[in-house]
Amino acid sequence: MNDFLILMKQELMITIIIFILLFLKLGNKEIKNGTLINFVNVLLLTNLASGFIFQKTGWLFGDMFYTNELITFEKNLLNLGTLIISLQSYNWLKDHKHVPEFYMLILSTLLGMQLMISSNNLLMFYLALELSTIPLAALANFDLEKRRSSEAAFKMIISSAFSSGLLLFGISMLYGTTGTLNLAELPVQLNGSPLQIFSFILLIAGFGFKISAVPFHLWTADVYEGSPVAVTSYLSVISKGAILFVLVSVLYKVFAPLSETWYNMLFLISVLTMIIGNLFALRQQNMKRFLAFSSIAQVGFILIGITGQSVEGSASVIYFVLVYIFSNLAAFGVINLVSAVTGKENVDDYKGFYKTNPGLSWVLAIGLFSLGGIPPTAGFFGKFFLLLAGAGKGNYLLIGIAALNMVISLYYYLKVIKAMFMDANENPIEKIHAGWSPRIAIVICIAGIIITGLASGAYQYIYSLVK
């Protein structure tokens, strides 16, 4: 019993929080939104803290559930990101009619992601994936009075259903050719037959949809633009991070016998993802669409790290997700505040932003500098470790293409910074008064960007967990 509680402590904590919110909702308790949000934030902080104590390696449910120190750390990253997003969303949520529903949905997806990371069976993985995806479509529609929010939800449902179909078809054929769904037993049964290769391609396509890799990215910009900013940031950081953790684990441990096959596939997908993500980001005017294509380009860099097929490759991906949480949420934190107060989301709206909001301008600038990989921010070291892992495979053409794409990406990140600091605007965005909750989130993000960038201990710690 004690082992069960320790091994599933993070999933149990989230489940308890969901039930507390459900009872509050069903009990028709008249609680002010601000009080409820602060209460949930305390619960999320407790959930995060519990992840760092009583760690243990073990199996549950007939070897279908597995956890160890590395997996616990990955879940802690998702918990941290969710807490930051909750803190950032205070100004938007305090006037919303359905705060308990928002948290129940977002925690349900988080629970699905945590079960997905611990899955040691493809069937359990698929069920956990669905649990993490379906509530996201409802969250995309959470700006209930906006038509584009409904469109975003509809597009998300369609794309998710299509990708789930591909994934399930691939899993079915894989089971047909190997006779097992257990991830530990699959590598022994893989012989590289055409049917297995085809089923593997379907699996990669399913993963590709979830991480917005080209050519499976078409849903991303529209869903990001139509969703509330809090949901967009959750999609771009937490959802994508969880899938990347699983992708690395599956490729390295399960499909290691097909490593040559998936290396060539990832090479092509990473090049296309970087180039197309960057080229489309250049022409975007809406901040959320801009960050959507930016996140697509970032996936291309992450895939380079995965092609390294080494301990360094795995560690660099996890480290980059950590850096990406701080960097992307710093940028989205400012956009969230501006959108909640003014409703403005275009790049041109940010002209002259520095004159009225110097502090928030610097936060957004630091976040964008980190996303662009400008030293000494954490984003620079994140991309450095990814490229270093990719270079370990000896494909310097891929590294060269990545370097060129980093230069291109600087242009569109600096375009936003130029608008804030240098461009004139007769009617700049008014002074934004952030409450203490968003301020705490901003401080965490900026501290994270600086500390994980300048302190090498973060990468070394992750490397020791992977090794």
Side-chain angles (χ1 to χ4, degrees):
M1 186 62 182
N2 286 337
D3 286 349
F4 175 81
L5 293 176
I6 294 174
L7 292 173
M8 290 208 72
K9 60 183 178 181
Q10 289 155 306
E11 289 81 5
L12 290 173
M13 279 294 297
I14 294 171
T15 306
I16 290 170
I17 298 173
I18 292 173
F19 272 100
I20 290 173
L21 291 167
L22 184 62
F23 291 142
L24 288 176
K25 179 66 183 177
L26 294 177
N28 290 320
K29 298 290 184 184
E30 294 294 332
I31 303 174
K32 289 183 179 178
N33 280 354
T35 306
L36 180 59
I37 296 167
N38 292 333
F39 175 63
V40 174
N41 285 336
V42 171
L43 293 176
L44 292 177
L45 180 61
T46 307
N47 174 44
L48 175 64
S50 71
F52 292 95
I53 57 175
F54 302 123
Q55 302 200 25
K56 194 168 186 177
T57 299
W59 306 78
L60 288 173
F61 311 125
D63 295 348
M64 293 184 79
F65 179 95
Y66 174 71
T67 190
N68 59 18
E69 199 173 350
L70 175 63
I71 290 174
T72 303
F73 178 76
E74 291 174 345
K75 292 176 182 177
N76 286 339
L77 292 187
L78 302 183
N79 289 335
L80 172 64
T82 305
L83 174 62
I84 294 173
I85 291 170
S86 176
L87 290 168
Q88 288 178 343
S89 306
Y90 183 89
N91 288 11
W92 170 64
L93 276 177
K94 69 179 181 180
D95 298 322
H96 205 286
K97 296 178 181 176
H98 303 287
V99 175
E101 289 89 337
F102 173 81
Y103 279 113
M104 281 190 276
L105 287 170
I106 210 164
L107 289 172
S108 297
T109 68
L110 185 63
L111 178 62
M113 290 172 199
Q114 303 217 345
L115 290 171
M116 189 171 65
I117 294 173
S118 279
S119 298
N120 190 47
N121 183 288
L122 280 175
L123 186 57
M124 180 177 167
F125 161 73
Y126 178 76
L127 294 173
L129 180 69
E130 290 300 300
L131 176 60
S132 70
T133 302
I134 293 172
L136 278 175
L139 285 167
N141 192 28
F142 225 72
D143 267 342
L144 301 173
E145 72 284 0
K146 295 181 180 176
R147 181 179 175 183
R148 64 178 185 176
S149 188
S150 301
E151 290 177 1
F154 178 74
K155 288 173 182 175
M156 180 137 196
I157 290 172
I158 296 297
S159 61
S160 296
F162 186 58
S163 64
S164 293
L166 292 177
L167 200 64
L168 198 56
F169 191 26
I171 290 173
S172 303
M173 287 200 295
L174 200 61
Y175 178 71
T177 57
T178 61
T180 180
L181 290 175
N182 188 297
L183 296 182
E185 296 172 2
L186 269 172
V188 182
Q189 304 298 328
L190 293 177
N191 54 23
S193 68
L195 194 55
Q196 285 185 355
I197 297 293
F198 183 60
S199 62
F200 174 70
I201 291 172
L202 291 175
L203 286 175
I204 290 296
F207 277 103
F209 270 103
K210 302 299 182 185
I211 62 173
S212 304
V214 174
F216 314 109
H217 67 292
L218 298 175
W219 62 275
T220 312
D222 289 342
V223 173
Y224 276 33
E225 184 183 8
S227 303
V229 179
V231 179
T232 305
S233 54
Y234 190 83
L235 278 168
S236 70
V237 178
I238 309 301
S239 176
K240 198 170 287 186
I243 291 289
L244 284 167
F245 292 149
V246 179
L247 178 62
V248 172
S249 177
V250 168
L251 288 178
Y252 279 28
K253 295 177 181 175
V254 181
F255 291 102
L258 305 179
S259 60
E260 287 301 318
T261 302
W262 63 256
Y263 173 80
N264 292 326
M265 289 176 62
L266 258 58
F267 175 91
L268 181 61
I269 293 173
S270 66
V271 170
L272 290 174
T273 303
M274 282 187 293
I275 293 174
I276 292 177
N278 276 331
L279 290 181
F280 277 86
L282 287 172
R283 51 183 294 184
Q284 299 306 317
Q285 274 301 311
N286 181 279
M287 289 293 280
K288 288 193 287 186
R289 289 185 74 88
F290 159 73
L291 287 175
F293 283 105
S294 156
S295 73
I296 291 171
Q298 302 282 0
V299 167
F301 290 100
I302 293 172
L303 293 179
I304 292 176
I306 297 176
T307 61
Q309 301 181 12
S310 59
V311 174
E312 288 79 6
S314 183
S316 66
V317 172
I318 298 170
Y319 177 75
F320 189 83
V321 171
L322 171 64
V323 169
Y324 194 63
I325 286 174
F326 293 128
S327 307
N328 218 25
L329 291 186
F332 269 115
V334 176
I335 295 169
N336 199 344
L337 282 171
V338 173
S339 177
V341 175
T342 68
K344 295 180 177 178
E345 294 180 351
N346 288 330
V347 175
D348 286 344
D349 295 330
Y350 282 78
K351 288 181 178 178
F353 189 55
Y354 175 72
K355 290 183 179 177
T356 52
N357 295 276
L360 291 178
S361 298
W362 277 112
V363 171
L364 182 53
I366 292 171
L368 294 177
F369 278 141
S370 187
L371 290 172
I374 295 175
T377 60
F380 167 76
F381 294 100
K383 286 184 178 173
F384 173 75
F385 288 129
L386 286 173
L387 298 184
L388 199 63
K393 193 70 177 175
N395 195 333
Y396 297 106
L397 173 62
L398 186 58
I399 306 304
I401 295 172
L404 286 174
N405 275 279
M406 284 182 70
V407 175
I408 295 172
S409 68
L410 286 179
Y411 173 78
Y412 57 74
Y413 288 124
L414 292 176
K415 187 174 74 172
V416 178
I417 293 170
K418 173 179 172 291
M420 289 192 297
F421 288 88
M422 301 177 70
D423 288 351
N425 188 353
E426 293 182 357
N427 297 303
I429 292 172
E430 62 195 70
K431 176 72 177 176
I432 304 292
H433 297 283
W436 63 268
S437 181
R439 286 185 184 181
I440 291 174
I442 287 172
V443 169
I444 293 172
C445 291
I446 297 300
I449 291 172
I450 295 171
I451 294 171
T452 55
L454 298 180
S456 61
Y459 178 79
Q460 292 300 330
Y461 175 69
I462 293 170
Y463 185 87
S464 67
L465 292 179
V466 176
K467 195 174 180 180

